[in-house]
Amino acid sequence: MRLIAENIGPFERLNIDFSDGQGKPHLGPHILAGVNGSGKSTLLRAIAWALSSDLSGFPEEEWRHFLRGPESRVFVHVSFGNDAPYINAATADNADGWDERLEDWVREIGVASEIGLLHSLGLRSDATVSRHSGVLNQPPIAAYAPVRALSYLDSPAKMQSLRRPTEDCLGFESTVQNRAIQRWLVDLFSRRALAKERGQEFDSYQQTLTQFQDALKLVCDDPNIRVDVELGPILEPRLNFHGKKLNFSQLSDGVRTTIGWLADFMMRQDQNNASNVAKSSENGILLLDEIDIYLHPRWQRTLLPAMRKAMPHVQVIASSHSPFVISSCRDARIHVLTLDERGAAHKKRGTKADCQDPEDLAGGCFEFIDRPSCAKTTSRSLPEGRWDPHTPKRQAGLMVRTRRRPASPGALKLGKRAWTARWKKIVAASTGGDWATQKAKKALKGPLL
């Protein structure tokens, strides 16, 4: 619902509203955009820090380097439907009375009426101390960074299940649990087959597999992709992709990272359902850092809309440098982060992804001014439509387009003839024809379209 951070990384103070303006969370996707060093990853880790616990795997030792001292603190307000909200706050203050000072700060923010629900975290020199007045009973919250964690396991004995859905859920680089994912998939297929053979109820296993397969098809933008379990020589999950059965080590980087966080998050949702911990089992919070890494622009365009269809009740907060990602979803809310002359990060006013042109988004979200040119071409001023004989593009048969100008049909026809004649001379010179090399070079100087 809301994030407030003070003295964290490049931020002196940050206040972001993730709600829909009517007291409910906006499911997004929320996209964090900005230049390098503007605090996109820091913001995601600030949310994860406030929501972390002893078993969540949050990278605490690395996070200490982003804290400026006792005044570093984070407040996060989380709400899941009709359940009671979770008020989470964390501080780097490790002196006696840290929890009282943190509680006073939370009251100053304006949530004094819900202070009894406060979950406080104090970062000590040796460990994290937690103070919580209620019981944390929440749907899955997981954070992921682009890593190739999925890999082949040569023995089913190496597969192992998670002890609980929240285990290592906020580790970013260490969140994807390769062994647990493969155990989860093998168990689903095995239990469905056994229950079917014995005449027992198997709809729950079938429903979980169908949900995962459907999400896989949407996110990977391939109606034929699916996961299966190979019976021999060992029991292992494989991916049917482009007519091939591939183990997890044979997948491309983009497919491996995408399936990694998708399978891991849906596995945690399934375990949450089995334990009946969450009342709203389809809810959750998904934090994705650098979502565009390893992905082709086509996938960058389709990923977020597919996630909205596959997981409609999950709130997605992602960071990206790609204008294709930002312009892909009209319902997205873009949070643009900038740096001032002192190097401090700030948030621009929230915008919606109502512009679908990546080039137009580049100026507003990425602060592009113009497309940079190669060093060799910027040192010279080229006449309109001329070849640049000093650029390597000439050898590839490409023209340097220096300026856009509409051409008449007559000019197009004349330009085509001139280009054809000069191209014949260039080919003849390069293949040892009758034309001398010097004459071919002079032909390059003529006006071309």
Side-chain angles (χ1 to χ4, degrees):
M1 292 277 290
R2 189 180 179 191
L3 165 71
I4 297 178
E6 291 184 355
N7 301 307
I8 301 291
F11 301 105
E12 294 178 352
R13 179 176 172 83
L14 179 68
N15 189 343
I16 296 185
D17 183 12
F18 293 105
S19 72
D20 61 357
Q22 300 178 357
K24 295 181 180 180
H26 188 285
L27 298 182
H30 296 268
I31 307 175
L32 310 177
V35 298
N36 289 94
S38 58
K40 301 182 295 298
S41 299
T42 303
L43 191 154
L44 291 174
R45 282 160 174 77
I47 297 174
W49 180 38
L51 300 177
S52 63
S53 62
D54 296 338
L55 297 177
S56 62
F58 180 74
E60 188 175 286
E61 290 302 319
E62 181 181 353
W63 177 246
R64 292 175 186 269
H65 298 285
F66 291 85
L67 306 178
R68 303 183 184 181
E71 297 301 318
S72 296
R73 48 201 178 189
V74 173
F75 165 84
V76 175
H77 182 190
V78 179
S79 176
F80 291 106
N82 298 324
D83 295 341
Y86 307 115
I87 310 299
N88 302 267
T91 179
D93 187 359
N94 56 15
D96 292 339
W98 64 269
D99 48 348
E100 288 84 0
R101 287 189 291 274
L102 184 62
E103 188 173 318
D104 293 339
W105 177 66
V106 172
R107 282 196 176 94
E108 294 175 0
I109 293 174
V111 290
S113 60
E114 299 172 336
I115 201 68
L117 302 172
L118 178 64
H119 178 206
S120 303
L121 290 176
L123 194 63
R124 298 286 184 138
S125 58
D126 54 347
T128 297
V129 180
S130 176
R131 300 282 188 274
H132 187 241
S133 57
V135 178
L136 278 179
N137 183 22
Q138 61 190 23
I141 300 174
Y144 301 92
V147 292
R148 294 163 290 184
L150 290 183
S151 61
Y152 169 76
L153 295 178
D154 58 3
S155 172
K158 294 183 179 181
M159 303 177 187
Q160 56 186 17
S161 302
L162 292 178
R163 289 174 291 177
R164 60 181 65 182
T166 57
E167 181 180 354
D168 294 328
C169 64
L170 298 175
F172 286 93
E173 288 81 5
S174 61
T175 300
V176 176
Q177 303 296 307
N178 179 44
R179 297 184 177 185
I181 290 173
Q182 299 198 39
R183 169 58 62 190
W184 173 63
L185 291 172
V186 169
D187 285 350
L188 282 177
F189 279 92
S190 302
R191 291 177 180 178
R192 184 187 64 174
L194 287 174
K196 200 171 184 180
E197 181 183 354
R198 296 174 181 178
Q200 299 175 353
E201 188 274 328
F202 62 91
D203 290 342
S204 59
Y205 307 120
Q206 180 64 47
Q207 182 180 1
T208 302
L209 282 172
T210 301
Q211 289 177 349
F212 176 66
Q213 302 280 24
D214 291 345
L216 199 62
K217 294 174 183 179
L218 286 170
V219 172
C220 294
D221 194 24
D222 186 345
N224 298 318
I225 191 173
R226 64 186 181 89
V227 171
D228 202 352
V229 171
E230 193 76 10
L231 297 179
I234 63 172
L235 202 64
E236 61 162 335
R238 285 180 174 257
L239 186 72
N240 291 340
F241 192 50
H242 294 311
K244 299 179 181 179
K245 289 187 176 182
L246 306 174
N247 64 45
F248 287 166
S249 291
Q250 295 172 324
L251 302 179
S252 65
D253 292 344
V255 176
R256 193 190 299 193
T257 55
T258 303
I259 294 180
W261 62 256
L262 178 64
D264 186 90
F265 188 77
M266 297 193 74
M267 171 187 66
R268 297 176 189 275
Q269 280 188 317
D270 183 44
Q271 289 193 353
N272 231 359
N273 297 346
S275 59
N276 294 320
V277 170
K279 297 179 182 179
S280 302
S281 58
E282 294 182 349
N283 292 345
I285 299 177
L286 187 57
L287 307 178
L288 295 171
D289 195 11
E290 303 291 356
I291 193 175
D292 52 285
I293 297 295
Y294 302 128
L295 297 185
H296 185 273
R298 177 185 173 185
W299 274 26
Q300 294 178 17
R301 269 288 199 183
T302 59
L303 181 60
L304 288 180
M307 290 171 59
R308 282 268 56 89
K309 292 181 181 179
M311 296 178 285
H313 303 290
V314 175
Q315 185 182 43
V316 178
I317 305 176
S319 67
S320 176
H321 284 287
S322 170
F324 295 103
V325 172
I326 292 180
S327 62
S328 63
C329 194
R330 287 188 177 274
D331 296 331
R333 183 176 293 180
I334 305 173
H335 307 274
V336 182
L337 306 176
T338 61
L339 293 171
D340 60 19
E341 62 278 0
R342 299 180 295 108
H346 305 275
K347 177 189 175 296
K348 286 185 177 180
R349 296 183 62 182
T351 60
K352 294 183 179 180
D354 52 1
C355 174
Q356 296 296 299
D357 188 354
E359 291 188 3
D360 293 340
L361 280 171
C365 298
F366 298 101
E367 302 178 2
F368 284 176
I369 299 176
D370 198 358
R371 181 179 299 174
S373 303
C374 299
K376 290 183 179 180
T377 59
T378 54
S379 61
R380 312 174 63 247
S381 178
L382 297 178
E384 237 178 73
R386 296 266 184 150
W387 283 89
D388 181 7
H390 298 288
T391 176
K393 289 186 177 180
R394 167 192 163 192
Q395 300 174 3
L398 302 175
M399 281 198 306
V400 178
R401 186 174 60 184
T402 59
R403 213 172 293 161
R404 292 182 180 179
R405 184 185 65 174
S408 63
L412 286 172
K413 187 174 182 180
L414 180 61
K416 183 177 180 180
R417 291 176 180 175
W419 161 245
T420 303
R422 284 167 177 79
W423 178 245
K424 288 181 179 179
K425 295 179 182 180
I426 296 170
V427 173
S430 63
T431 57
D434 297 333
W435 292 91
T437 306
Q438 287 295 331
K439 290 184 179 181
K441 289 183 177 179
K442 288 181 180 179
L444 294 174
K445 299 181 180 180
L448 299 177
L449 186 63

